[in-house]
Amino acid sequence: MIERVTACLENGGKHVLRRISKHHTHRSLHSAFWSHGAGNINLPSWWLAFLQVPSSRDCTWPFDKPATEIPQTPPDPLGFLDFLYPRETLAFLRKLINANTSVVRRRRPSQLLLQRSRAYTSAADAPGDIRPSWEATGQSINTEASPAEDTNLDRLNGEAGSETRRVFKRMLRTKEDPLNTPGLWQKYQELQGMSLSLNSKDYSLLFERLSASKTPFNFKCIRSLFGDIPLHKRNYLHYDHTVLAALEQKDLEDAMRLHREATPRVRYQHGSSMILKYAVQHSRWRCAEEIWNHHLERERAHVWQPNIWKGLNTLQAPELLAGAARAVSEAIRQAKSSSPDDANLTRSLAISLVQRALSIRNTEFDVSKQLQLLSRSCRIAQPDLSLFKNAVLQNLSLGRHNHKHNNAALKLYRKIRGKLNLVPDVGLLMAMVKRFSALRDSEGMYEVLEDFRKYHEAPPEEAYSLIMAQLARHGDFDAVDGLFRDFIDRYSKENIQKHARYLFHACFRRAEADRADSVLQSLRETYGYEPDLEAWNSLIATYARVGNHDGAMSLLEKLMAANLTPSNLTFGILMNMFARRSDYDTTSTLYEQAISVGIKPNVPMLNSLVLALVAGNRFDEAYQVVQDAMTMDLDIGTNQPTDITGDFTRTRMWNTLLSHCALNKRLDKVAEIQKRMHEVGVPFDNITYAALMLSLCIKNMPGAALRIKNVIMPSSGARPTALHYSILMGGFMKTNEPNKVLLLADEMLKSNINPTFSSQNQLLRVASRVDEQQDDQENDGEQPFQARRAEEVMRQALETLNPMELAALGPKQRAQSNPANVAFYASYFSYMVYLYGKKRSFDRVVGIYDEYIATARKVHGDIGALPPVELLSALMVAHFHAGEHDETERCWHLAVEKSEQLARRFDADTSQPGWVLHKYRFILALPFTRYMQSLQASSRVDDIATTVDYLQRAGYRLSVHNWNKYSQILAQEGYSLLAFEICEKHLMDGWPGWEYFGAPLRSKRKIKKQWNPTSLDRGRPFPHYETLVYLAGVYLDFKSMPYGTGKETLQDLERLAPRTMEAVLKMPNFDDDVQNSILRRN
């Protein structure tokens, strides 16, 4: 019932009207409510005293006490008949009654209200036309309280109220114990009991304090506090906190009631997002649809509204995907049973939830559920590009090493461009080209290029650089060249300097120096191009990669002639090239030259010094350089192109030490270096683990190396590469476990790791072993040996042969001493020639060599490069067994020429002695054995001595096997004294005596085990068992000579080779085929 606002009673009986105008409110009752409808009423003093009698539940008014003993703080005046009125009205009246008269008079004297009047409102909802103007207009709320207002209120209520308010405010604003809400709430209730109200700012702070701790007690307090605030003073913060509290107490109905109350009154956040989140989580679709419908209405009316997704954004991807899936199921159900309007509303909500769920990034989720959600979404709406694009990007956000999400992204992308027939936009295509490049998926990159040209005519200008850089990194020169010319034609020649770098970088990745030269010449003639420093560095790195040190140094001179200053990257490339050749002198000279021109050393330069020392077998010096580098101020070069010089961390130099010790079987040193790396805080990387695995495989412990790959590397976040699988394959081949090699190869393919030439070579050896076993079982020796399985493996490797394999990311094994552009395919042919030569299938040896020549022409365009020394050595075996000594000698001279290219020191004169680099000192050891056998068969033993003199003068070294074979040939051909002299000088320093071998039955096996022809100079020099038997035969020959002649010769032998004579005389009688065939003949 709408009435005038009644006047309030004032102490002293004075009463005035608050306003002249009408104030609409609900039914208003005062103390004289039985004379309902009366206007202003003047009440006698006795009636006023009657109204001021306190409630019996609070206290007893002290009528019998003097006025001086009456408490200064009056009792609660609302005790009389307050059970008739709601709590909100009581709170409002307490504040109004306790207002200081001076405060009201200061604001406007005519608005003075009579105290002690009652104006209770009913519990019915307030109509919309009573909204305060600040809410109706959307103006902000002033939450600042006037200090004078609090002071006057405190003065009115006495010292007790003032002290309580001060304690409450201190607790409200304290930061020492922010979770002490029970104590804070108790003080608030004390204020309420004293009829002391809060200002707007204190209410807001109290809501925030109560909301800071998510406890049931706090939620109850929040809802109670909200009830104490008058309707017209409730703002969006009050609604927001109270709705959240109701939802935390699982009271969705009350939360919706509060939301409906707030919707026409406030424009800011008032719990919509939290209600939507709760409804989605608990499948309360009616409430969710109501919130969503209100959101759409305000959106259509272009009315500002809060972020409705704020609550749902706090959910993780799996939970939100599940909620979206339930919404889609509800939309499918309502499409069959509800009205079109309701079905459309639910469909709109479901699709929006799906979009929101797919927009979450960098959070793990179930791929199958995402794909199922997309499939079901297509049942309620037409396939939309934005929906599938978000799904693709969501999968891509989890990183390129997450294979299941990568596969899902590729599947969705191909579905977009195929089955769904949607047009991918530029953003999606750019995201895909990045991922295809990271995955080394050239087919996928071609798909993206095709889509760019099909749907967008061509890639945008900013996309060319990215695509060309990625394709160049993967060595696809033809694609880079086509894009480069297309870019120049379509846009301009202004950026030719930047984009020409990608052409040179593609040549570097493919290790094609000749092509790089032709590209430079073409660019100069066509565009007047002159390379910048980065292009020169790529050219120098290309020459360095193919081992052309003369060409690399000439490019350095051209760079400086072009008035360009070499950078630390330039010197790092050159130093790395010479370090790999073990040319420490040139490496250190370049380092000093860089320092002299003011270039700050970087990590790759120090890495090169360490590598040069290690390759030169100067381990202790290398170790000292590594120790010193840990305290040096080095340029870390984070912005340098690391694919040219390697990484810029100090880990690499430690890895060089580890690899050297592992290859030389210094396993105690491996453990020492590993421990030292932990002490100085050097992080492990893939090469570190590879070196540790290699040391274990060399020690015939591939099982322990496998544990590093399966347990230790995953726990440290490292991912196995083809290099680790190749090392493990070699380890299991060494322990004669070919089945495990095949299992590793299958595991590598399932892990999406592309096989490299090193892993393919291991498979080739497994296949050849199976072929040999089958030949031994089935072939009676009449049929030529056929390595069918091995040839099939080689054919499969050659079918996918591409120089782009050299551009593969990740660490790779270096194939002996060959340049990168030859090693990646020559090793297949070298092993097959060796295999057929061993089995005396010489026709197949020639056929395999012819295939190598054809392959080299296919890869390089011509046969300018000499065949590798390993292949020539295997070919010499075939020619020797075929009796083709002229061909054997021709192959030997080719091997010498090839070794001169590889082993010559920079600027060295081959006519002078000692020009062979330390790293290549044994490069001719293997073919020389075959050459000595051929010379022996050709009765040209004197030429062996001449060749030995040439090799030693140049700086080559003969292996233990070479000296043994040389001594045997001399003993066989009658050069007895020289045979003993060679054995004494080059082999007996490591002879431990026959006592070392123990019982005679074990001696033969142990001496053969000690001698390892493949170890070259590793270990001690050691005479081979057959060598001692041949020398024993010489001794028997001299001993059987007529008296006098043989005696003098024996004396010469004892003088020239005393240790050899002692070993021959003490040799046990093994009665084996070797002794029977040689000694009995003598």
Side-chain angles (χ1 to χ4, degrees), residues 979-997:
F980 271 86
E981 183 180 356
I982 291 296
C983 182
E984 181 75 16
K985 182 178 180 180
H986 297 286
L987 297 175
M988 293 306 295
D989 289 342
W991 175 250
W994 289 106
E995 298 80 5
Y996 169 78
F997 298 100

Side-chain angles (χ1 to χ4, degrees), residues 636-707:
I636 61 174
T638 54
N639 295 323
Q640 301 283 12
T642 58
D643 54 337
I644 291 181
T645 59
D647 61 75
F648 282 72
T649 65
R650 290 175 172 84
T651 304
R652 186 178 180 183
M653 59 183 72
W654 289 92
N655 291 341
T656 303
L657 300 177
L658 279 175
S659 300
H660 173 79
C661 294
L663 290 171
N664 288 276
K665 298 184 180 180
R666 301 178 63 179
L667 304 184
D668 56 336
K669 205 68 177 178
V670 171
E672 176 186 336
I673 294 173
Q674 180 188 4
K675 179 181 179 181
R676 182 60 180 161
M677 290 177 70
H678 278 294
E679 291 175 353
V680 298
V682 177
F684 284 17
D685 62 6
N686 277 336
I687 298 295
T688 310
Y689 291 114
L692 297 175
M693 292 167 63
L694 179 62
S695 64
L696 292 171
C697 289
I698 290 176
K699 200 177 179 180
N700 292 332
M701 297 173 61
L706 183 63
R707 185 176 179 274

Side-chain angles (χ1 to χ4, degrees), residues 753-810:
I753 299 176
N754 294 331
T756 59
F757 63 84
S758 55
S759 60
Q760 292 282 51
N761 268 298
Q762 298 298 339
L763 293 177
L764 185 66
R765 283 158 173 74
V766 173
S768 67
R769 181 167 298 186
V770 175
D771 288 331
E772 289 185 88
Q773 292 175 352
Q774 183 176 356
D775 183 72
D776 293 340
Q777 295 174 0
E778 300 178 0
N779 195 352
D780 55 3
E782 297 180 359
Q783 299 297 326
F785 171 69
Q786 290 290 330
R788 293 185 177 87
R789 292 178 179 82
E791 287 199 30
E792 182 180 355
V793 172
M794 187 182 73
R795 298 283 182 274
Q796 291 176 353
L798 295 177
E799 285 176 1
T800 59
L801 189 64
N802 194 322
M804 286 179 64
E805 182 181 335
L806 295 174
L809 302 178

Side-chain angles (χ1 to χ4, degrees), residues 179-475:
L179 301 181
N180 185 21
T181 51
L184 181 64
W185 183 251
Q186 181 180 0
K187 287 299 178 184
Y188 168 74
Q189 288 182 318
E190 290 179 11
L191 289 176
Q192 289 293 95
M194 297 177 183
S195 299
L196 298 178
S197 61
L198 305 180
N199 56 50
S200 299
K201 182 177 181 180
D202 288 345
Y203 272 124
S204 299
L205 288 175
L206 185 54
F207 269 111
E208 292 177 5
R209 285 289 304 276
L210 292 174
S211 300
S213 179
K214 308 295 184 182
T215 62
F217 173 78
N218 284 21
F219 296 142
K220 292 179 181 179
C221 293
I222 289 173
R223 299 177 73 177
S224 177
L225 177 63
F226 181 81
D228 292 343
I229 301 176
L231 180 65
H232 70 280
K233 287 188 176 290
R234 296 172 182 172
N235 61 38
Y236 70 96
L237 289 175
H238 305 156
Y239 283 107
D240 204 39
H241 288 295
T242 310
V243 167
L244 179 60
L247 293 176
E248 291 289 350
Q249 292 185 311
K250 303 185 184 307
D251 193 350
L252 180 60
E253 287 73 14
D254 191 54
M256 288 299 299
R257 181 188 64 80
L258 292 171
H259 181 268
R260 296 186 189 103
E261 176 185 305
T263 296
R265 304 186 66 252
V266 299
R267 59 174 296 187
Y268 296 101
Q269 181 72 26
H270 53 277
S272 303
S273 65
M274 301 309 300
I275 294 176
L276 183 61
K277 173 188 175 182
Y278 184 92
V280 170
Q281 285 181 302
H282 296 83
S283 300
R284 302 291 294 272
W285 301 116
R286 290 292 173 264
C287 297
E289 290 165 8
E290 181 179 341
I291 299 294
W292 182 247
N293 186 45
H294 171 66
H295 169 77
L296 295 179
E297 289 176 352
R298 302 194 71 166
E299 190 177 69
R300 286 191 291 266
H302 303 288
V303 177
W304 182 92
Q305 55 185 332
N307 181 14
I308 199 171
W309 303 111
K310 182 179 179 181
L312 288 170
N313 287 343
T314 61
L315 299 180
Q316 295 294 321
E319 190 174 2
L320 192 50
L321 284 171
R326 293 193 297 270
V328 171
S329 300
E330 177 68 14
I332 294 174
R333 187 189 65 80
Q334 289 202 25
K336 301 177 182 178
S337 59
S338 301
S339 64
D341 291 342
D342 292 342
N344 290 335
L345 180 63
T346 308
R347 184 185 305 112
S348 171
L349 173 61
I351 293 298
S352 298
L353 286 173
V354 173
Q355 287 280 22
R356 182 59 52 174
L358 297 176
S359 65
I360 298 178
R361 303 287 183 262
N362 305 314
T363 304
E364 183 61 48
F365 59 90
D366 190 338
V367 172
S368 61
K369 291 184 178 179
Q370 185 210 51
L371 297 177
Q372 184 180 8
L373 175 62
L374 286 170
S375 177
R376 291 177 63 82
S377 298
C378 292
R379 295 177 57 182
I380 62 175
Q382 290 294 325
D384 180 66
L385 175 64
S386 62
L387 203 67
F388 283 85
K389 176 183 176 180
N390 275 332
V392 171
L393 297 179
Q394 187 177 48
N395 282 290
L396 294 180
S397 70
L398 293 174
R400 65 185 181 91
H401 295 308
N402 199 319
H403 299 299
K404 62 179 181 179
H405 290 288
N406 281 328
N407 293 335
L410 301 184
K411 180 179 178 180
L412 288 170
Y413 169 68
R414 288 175 175 138
K415 186 175 182 179
I416 289 173
R417 66 192 303 270
K419 182 178 179 181
L420 298 178
N421 198 24
L422 298 174
V423 178
D425 59 15
V426 175
L428 176 60
L429 294 177
M430 289 298 295
M432 292 308 304
V433 76
K434 291 177 184 178
R435 185 50 49 87
F436 280 134
S437 176
L439 295 175
R440 295 176 288 178
D441 189 346
S442 57
E443 180 183 352
M445 287 160 51
Y446 284 122
E447 291 180 14
V448 175
L449 283 174
E450 179 184 351
D451 287 346
F452 266 125
R453 290 166 175 156
K454 179 179 179 181
Y455 300 112
H456 307 285
E457 294 186 1
E461 185 173 358
E462 62 271 14
Y464 270 96
S465 296
L466 177 62
I467 298 175
M468 290 174 65
Q470 297 296 343
L471 293 178
R473 184 174 178 80
H474 289 274

Side-chain angles (χ1 to χ4, degrees), residues 987-1058:
L987 297 175
M988 293 306 295
D989 289 342
W991 175 250
W994 289 106
E995 298 80 5
Y996 169 78
F997 298 100
L1001 293 177
R1002 299 172 51 204
S1003 298
K1004 181 181 176 182
R1005 293 193 298 270
K1006 196 166 185 178
I1007 192 174
K1008 286 188 174 183
K1009 185 177 180 180
Q1010 285 290 112
W1011 173 75
N1012 183 6
T1014 62
S1015 65
L1016 301 179
D1017 66 332
R1018 300 174 194 141
R1020 298 176 299 176
F1022 206 84
H1024 186 212
Y1025 170 62
E1026 291 184 354
T1027 303
L1028 294 176
V1029 173
Y1030 275 111
L1031 294 177
V1034 173
Y1035 171 80
L1036 293 177
D1037 286 342
F1038 284 124
K1039 190 175 181 181
S1040 63
M1041 286 183 180
Y1043 180 78
T1045 305
K1047 184 176 181 180
E1048 294 177 357
T1049 307
L1050 290 175
Q1051 291 175 352
D1052 293 337
L1053 291 178
E1054 291 176 355
R1055 177 176 53 83
L1056 290 173

